[in-house]
Amino acid sequence: YPVDVLEFTPGLKTLQRYAFDGSISIDLTDHLRIGGLMDFASANYAKRKDLRHTNYRLDFEVAPGIQYHCGDLALGLNYIYSKNSETVDAEQIGTGKESLFAFLDKGMMYGAYELWTGSGVHLSEAGVSGLPLAENIHGAAAQVSWKGFFAETVWRHRRGFSGEKQYIWYRFPGSDLAVTMGYALNSRHFFRLSWKEFRQDNNETVIEKVTVGGVTNPVEHGSNLILQRASRSLKAEYDFYAPKFELREYLSFGWHDTRNSPMYPYVFNRRISDLAYSLDVIGHAGKWDIGTGLLYTQALCRESSATVAADSGVTSDPYRLDEWNQSHIDFICNPALTFLPHVRYNFAIGLYAELGGLAATDFRSFRAGTTIRFGYNF
C-alpha cells in the first residue's frame, strides 16, 4: 500500500499465516479445455505490549480460463479477480505515564508523527474500526505457445482505498503489466525474458465533520494528489536440466520512481535502481539431491526536491522521519549476499524430505535460518 503506519515501543510479536492455492483444468473437446486457479492467504500479526495492535490480512485471487490447442499451437485467455485487505486495530491498556506515538508514512517517510490517538494517523477514529486498507483488482491474461516458444501478457487494474463507510482518507488507483517470453531448446535448455511495470497514484481526501441538528456527518470536499510511484523491471532467466545436474540462474534490473508532495508547494523525487543475480545448482546422486543457491543484490538511490511556487508564503516544512528513512535506504541499497544450501531425500513413492539453510550478510550484519520441508511429487 502507498501508506504505512509505524509505532515505536519494543515488544514481542506473533505472526500466524494460513494459505492454500490450487488449479484444475478439464478437457471439453479434443481441442478445447477450461480451467481455473484459486490463491488464498490470511495472516494475523499481533503485539501485546504497550501500544498493542493486531493486523488482520486477507489476500484472495481467482483466475478462470479457457485454452484452444491444436498440435504444437495453443492459445489461452484468463480473467483475473483479486482482492486484498488489511486492518490495524490498536489499543492502549491502562493509563501509563508514557505517551505513545505513531507515524503515518505517506511516502518516502514524509507524514504525520503524533500521539497514536491523533486524527492524523487514523488509528483511533470515531465511527471507524481501526485503520482499514483494501484493493480490488480486475485483469486479464493471454498466452500463446508454439513448439518451444511461449509468450504471455498480463494486465490488471487496481482500485485501492483506506477507510470505511463515509470516512475514506485515501484512494489509490493503479495498474500493472507483465510480459513474459520463453523458449525451450531440446528439453534441457530453457530461456525466459520478462518485463514488468507498476503504476499507482495516491489521493488524500479533504473531509470535514459537519454537525446539523445535533447529528455529525463527514463531508468530503475533494482530494489532493500526494503521491505518484512507478516501477519497471527486466529479468532474464536460464535453466539447464540434465539427468545428474540442474542449474538455474537469473539477472534482473529494476527502476523505482516516487514523486511525493505531502504539503504544498513541496515536491520530492526519488529513484531507486536495483540489481539482482541468482544462481542455483543442484546435483542428483541416487535418492539424494544436494545443492546450493547464491543471491547477490545491490541498489542505488537518488533524491531531489523542488518547490512549485517560491512565493507561496508557507514557512513550515513537511515532517520526515529521517532516522528511519536512512535505515530503510541503507537496508535496500547496501550490497547483500545470501547463501541457500539445501539437501533433499526422495522416498520411493514420491514423498521427499528437505533440509535447507540460509546465511545472509550485507557486510555489516549477519543472519541465519533453517527450513524443513515435506512434500509429494506426482
Side-chain angles (χ1 to χ4, degrees), residues 10-46:
L12 295 176
K13 303 177 180 69
T14 301
L15 173 64
Q16 297 177 342
R17 186 176 185 272
Y18 311 91
F20 71 86
D21 63 85
S23 57
I24 189 172
S25 66
I26 300 173
D27 289 327
L28 298 180
T29 67
D30 292 339
H31 301 287
L32 193 66
R33 65 169 57 105
I34 60 173
L37 172 147
M38 175 181 289
D39 194 341
F40 174 86
S42 175
N44 300 323
Y45 191 54

Side-chain angles (χ1 to χ4, degrees), residues 170-233:
Y170 300 96
R171 292 184 176 92
F172 35 94
S175 64
D176 57 83
L177 172 71
V179 179
T180 303
M181 293 183 293
Y183 181 72
L185 178 65
N186 63 27
S187 301
R188 288 197 172 187
H189 303 273
F190 298 84
F191 305 89
R192 286 183 299 275
L193 187 67
S194 60
W195 172 262
K196 293 183 179 181
E197 290 189 11
F198 169 80
R199 298 180 182 274
Q200 189 178 58
D201 298 339
N202 188 22
N203 300 278
E204 185 175 29
T205 59
V206 180
I207 298 177
E208 180 186 9
K209 296 180 180 179
V210 179
T211 301
V212 178
V215 179
T216 301
N217 291 305
V219 177
E220 183 177 328
H221 295 289
S223 62
N224 298 313
L225 178 61
I226 63 170
L227 181 76
Q228 291 179 303
R229 59 180 182 174
S231 297
R232 298 166 298 278
S233 63

Side-chain angles (χ1 to χ4, degrees), residues 82-358:
S82 179
K83 181 178 181 180
N84 59 73
S85 62
E86 185 172 355
T87 300
V88 184
D89 285 337
E91 62 178 341
Q92 183 177 356
I93 304 299
T95 56
K97 296 181 180 179
E98 184 181 6
S99 298
L100 303 178
F101 283 76
F103 175 71
L104 184 71
D105 180 14
K106 301 180 183 180
M108 297 172 58
M109 287 293 173
Y110 289 97
Y113 178 78
E114 57 188 56
L115 290 172
W116 77 274
T117 53
S119 61
V121 295
H122 306 302
L123 287 174
S124 179
E125 289 273 358
V128 182
S129 176
L131 174 62
L133 300 101
E135 270 190 314
N136 286 296
I137 304 170
H138 297 269
Q143 308 88 22
V144 57
S145 64
W146 182 72
K147 294 186 177 180
F149 173 78
F150 171 81
E152 179 182 48
T153 299
V154 182
W155 178 84
R156 304 191 303 171
H157 173 73
R158 318 169 74 97
R159 186 177 64 87
F161 60 92
S162 174
E164 64 180 13
K165 301 174 184 176
Q166 295 173 294
Y167 291 92
I168 303 298
W169 303 306
Y170 300 96
R171 292 184 176 92
F172 35 94
S175 64
D176 57 83
L177 172 71
V179 179
T180 303
M181 293 183 293
Y183 181 72
L185 178 65
N186 63 27
S187 301
R188 288 197 172 187
H189 303 273
F190 298 84
F191 305 89
R192 286 183 299 275
L193 187 67
S194 60
W195 172 262
K196 293 183 179 181
E197 290 189 11
F198 169 80
R199 298 180 182 274
Q200 189 178 58
D201 298 339
N202 188 22
N203 300 278
E204 185 175 29
T205 59
V206 180
I207 298 177
E208 180 186 9
K209 296 180 180 179
V210 179
T211 301
V212 178
V215 179
T216 301
N217 291 305
V219 177
E220 183 177 328
H221 295 289
S223 62
N224 298 313
L225 178 61
I226 63 170
L227 181 76
Q228 291 179 303
R229 59 180 182 174
S231 297
R232 298 166 298 278
S233 63
L234 179 65
K235 184 177 183 180
E237 302 174 77
Y238 169 69
D239 296 353
F240 172 77
Y241 295 95
K244 299 293 183 180
F245 178 76
E246 295 180 22
L247 181 146
R248 294 188 290 268
E249 64 177 338
Y250 73 78
L251 179 66
S252 68
F253 302 91
W255 303 267
H256 315 278
D257 296 318
T258 304
R259 172 170 292 179
N260 190 16
S261 181
M263 177 191 296
Y264 179 84
Y266 301 101
V267 178
F268 305 96
N269 298 287
R270 170 190 286 172
R271 164 167 282 193
I272 296 177
S273 306
D274 58 41
L275 162 72
Y277 173 75
S278 173
L279 175 66
D280 194 12
V281 179
I282 303 174
H284 305 292
K287 295 184 177 181
W288 293 92
D289 299 332
I290 302 172
T292 185
L294 171 69
L295 174 64
Y296 176 80
T297 60
Q298 187 171 4
L300 177 66
C301 177
R302 294 187 178 93
E303 290 191 0
S304 63
S305 61
T307 57
V308 296
D311 57 349
S312 65
V314 177
T315 57
S316 60
D317 296 330
Y319 180 81
R320 191 179 204 185
L321 203 60
D322 287 305
E323 181 181 355
W324 287 71
N325 175 68
Q326 190 59 49
S327 298
H328 175 68
I329 294 301
D330 289 344
F331 177 78
I332 293 176
C333 294
N334 283 340
L337 192 62
T338 303
F339 293 95
L340 298 162
H342 48 91
V343 58
R344 174 184 293 189
Y345 182 81
N346 298 284
F347 298 95
I349 57 176
L351 293 170
Y352 67 84
E354 180 178 314
L355 176 65
L358 178 147

